[in-house]
Amino acid sequence: MNTEKRINKQKELIETIGRQSEQEGMQPVAGRIMALLMVMDKEQFTFDEIVEELNISKSSASTALKILQLKDMVEYETHPGDRKRYFHIKVQEPFYLFERVKNSMIEKNKMMKSIIKLKADPESKNVLFFKDLIRITDLFLENYEKMKENFFKNQ
Amino acid sequence: MNTEKRINKQKELIETIGRQSEQEGMQPVAGRIMALLMVMDKEQFTFDEIVEELNISKSSASTALKILQLKDMVEYETHPGDRKRYFHIKVQEPFYLFERVKNSMIEKNKMMKSIIKLKADPESKNVLFFKDLIRITDLFLENYEKMKENFFKNQ
DNA sequence: TTTTTGGTTCGTTAATTCCCGAACTAAATA
DNA sequence: TATTTAGTTCGGGAATTAACGAACCAAAAA
């Protein structure tokens, strides 16, 4: 595949990833920025390059970048004698991908326990169902921690 | 705790769960309905009871219930000689809780592989980061399947 | 000192989502 | 046959969100 073709494919991928991010609740512009920083060969973009490349206004870029930094998904560097910010995706400890999931499972687990506590009939359909779910989320969390531990041991 | 107090707590919990569901992208009314069906002692509600209990319009109840049924979260039964529908939460195979997560991991995994394929420099920062993430998601998926298998074996 | 650069903030507009009431339908009852 | 019951569908208004342009600011350059 020649360079031109490859770059076209990269731009298509930005659209795909953008739409995917929207579906996961991210706002359109923020999704496009993430995608841009992830797929292109150049992995550092200045503010103006982002504005230009995605055809968005400076204000949208500014707010979206602020959000992405708050979410710890993007960061920037500056170079002495150069006022520009060089934005790039934030390289994180890879398990961060699952921490959201983990926390959501912990939340659900707690919630189901509170429901059970307040039920009149400790053998109701819902109670039995929630007990099942509690067992399974506990198992999941336990397994997850083991996996993590193992991973770091074998490093 | 006496019954009245307990029921008050249940109603509070409906609010909490409702807000939690909203944060996970569910629409407010749908979240309240789910919460109602989950926490109250009565675990089957007719359409009119839902409307009454949550103080919502029939039309909102109708659309929200349609969505919840489409998402496989709620179902109803009817009894011969009674035109009412008795709505309740759908009891599912408990691993359904993780299937969304699993699918989202598979998607991310694929996406990162497509990004890598299109990069000019196979040693770039992003590429190395994504390779790490691919390893970790693979490990996660593998582990998850094992956990599931084990679970059913020990049943 | 004035101008340019690299952004941020604010107010407005456009688009979307959410929910409601009113009209409607289909089945059961009177 | 007329009325009631148990919902559904449709159109519109309110609230929320997304993105924009214009005005602004602080630091550097001219």
Side-chain angles (χ1 to χ4, degrees):
Chain A
M1 188 160 27
N2 64 34
T3 303
E4 198 194 337
K5 236 177 163 177
R6 204 167 46 74
I7 289 177
N8 271 330
K9 290 239 174 196
Q10 286 176 332
K11 299 208 169 168
E12 277 168 39
L13 195 51
I14 291 179
E15 254 308 290
T16 310
I17 295 177
R19 278 195 299 273
Q20 208 174 299
S21 313
E22 272 182 70
Q23 291 216 310
E24 287 171 20
M26 184 169 279
Q27 68 186 102
V29 167
R32 300 300 184 285
I33 293 179
M34 273 308 287
L36 179 72
L37 299 180
M38 288 195 292
V39 318
M40 301 304 278
D41 288 332
K42 176 155 68 166
E43 298 181 345
Q44 310 239 74
F45 284 77
T46 66
F47 187 89
D48 283 325
E49 285 169 343
I50 292 172
V51 165
E52 175 122 344
E53 198 72 36
L54 297 176
N55 265 299
I56 57 179
S57 70
K58 291 205 293 170
S59 51
S60 317
S62 177
T63 31
L65 282 167
K66 191 160 59 182
I67 292 168
L68 290 172
Q69 289 172 83
L70 266 168
K71 286 192 187 169
D72 242 17
M73 300 174 78
V74 161
E75 57 182 5
Y76 67 82
E77 264 133 47
T78 51
H79 306 301
D82 180 355
R83 229 153 23 103
K84 291 188 190 109
R85 294 173 187 179
Y86 292 84
F87 292 95
H88 54 85
I89 62 173
K90 183 163 179 182
V91 171
Q92 306 208 49
E93 187 272 314
F95 278 93
Y96 86 97
L97 262 185
F98 309 118
E99 291 301 305
R100 277 181 91 82
V101 173
K102 175 181 153 183
N103 289 330
S104 138
M105 287 301 152
I106 290 175
E107 277 311 302
K108 284 197 172 44
N109 201 298
K110 269 193 213 158
M111 189 196 78
M112 292 186 291
K113 282 177 182 161
S114 337
I115 293 178
I116 289 180
K117 256 190 223 147
L118 291 172
K119 285 276 186 180
D121 174 8
E123 301 276 304
S124 79
K125 265 198 183 181
N126 282 3
V127 170
L128 297 180
F129 180 43
F130 291 142
K131 280 189 176 165
D132 247 29
L133 292 182
I134 289 168
R135 254 179 74 218
I136 229 88
T137 44
D138 278 340
L139 182 65
F140 175 86
L141 289 168
E142 204 181 294
N143 245 273
Y144 172 65
E145 293 302 335
K146 258 190 222 155
M147 177 184 94
K148 217 163 137 179
E149 223 176 274
N150 257 309
F151 179 85
F152 289 117
K153 224 186 279 171
N154 299 336
Q155 280 250 322
Chain B
M1 188 161 25
N2 65 35
T3 303
E4 198 195 336
K5 233 177 164 179
R6 204 168 45 74
I7 289 178
N8 271 332
K9 289 239 175 194
Q10 286 176 333
K11 299 207 170 170
E12 276 169 40
L13 195 50
I14 290 179
E15 255 307 290
T16 311
I17 295 178
R19 278 196 297 272
Q20 207 174 301
S21 311
E22 273 182 70
Q23 291 217 311
E24 286 172 18
M26 187 170 277
Q27 69 185 101
V29 168
R32 300 299 185 285
I33 293 179
M34 273 309 287
L36 180 73
L37 300 179
M38 288 195 292
V39 317
M40 300 305 277
D41 288 332
K42 176 154 70 164
E43 298 182 346
Q44 309 239 74
F45 284 78
T46 66
F47 188 88
D48 282 326
E49 286 169 343
I50 292 171
V51 165
E52 176 121 345
E53 199 71 38
L54 296 177
N55 266 298
I56 56 179
S57 70
K58 292 206 293 170
S59 51
S60 315
S62 177
T63 30
L65 282 167
K66 191 158 61 179
I67 291 168
L68 289 172
Q69 290 172 82
L70 266 167
K71 284 193 189 170
D72 242 18
M73 300 174 77
V74 162
E75 57 183 4
Y76 67 84
E77 263 132 48
T78 52
H79 307 302
D82 180 355
R83 223 146 35 95
K84 289 185 189 112
R85 296 175 185 177
Y86 293 82
F87 293 94
H88 53 85
I89 62 172
K90 181 163 182 183
V91 171
Q92 306 209 49
E93 186 274 311
F95 278 94
Y96 86 97
L97 263 185
F98 310 118
E99 290 302 305
R100 276 179 92 80
V101 173
K102 174 181 153 181
N103 290 329
S104 136
M105 286 303 153
I106 290 175
E107 277 311 302
K108 282 195 173 44
N109 199 295
K110 267 191 215 161
M111 189 198 78
M112 291 185 293
K113 281 178 183 160
S114 335
I115 293 178
I116 289 181
K117 253 190 225 147
L118 290 173
K119 287 276 187 180
D121 174 9
E123 301 276 305
S124 80
K125 265 198 181 179
N126 284 2
V127 170
L128 297 180
F129 180 43
F130 291 142
K131 280 190 176 166
D132 248 27
L133 292 182
I134 289 168
R135 256 179 74 216
I136 228 89
T137 45
D138 278 339
L139 182 65
F140 175 86
L141 289 167
E142 204 181 294
N143 246 271
Y144 172 65
E145 293 304 334
K146 259 191 222 153
M147 177 184 92
K148 216 162 138 181
E149 223 175 272
N150 257 307
F151 179 84
F152 289 117
K153 226 187 279 173
N154 300 336
Q155 281 253 322

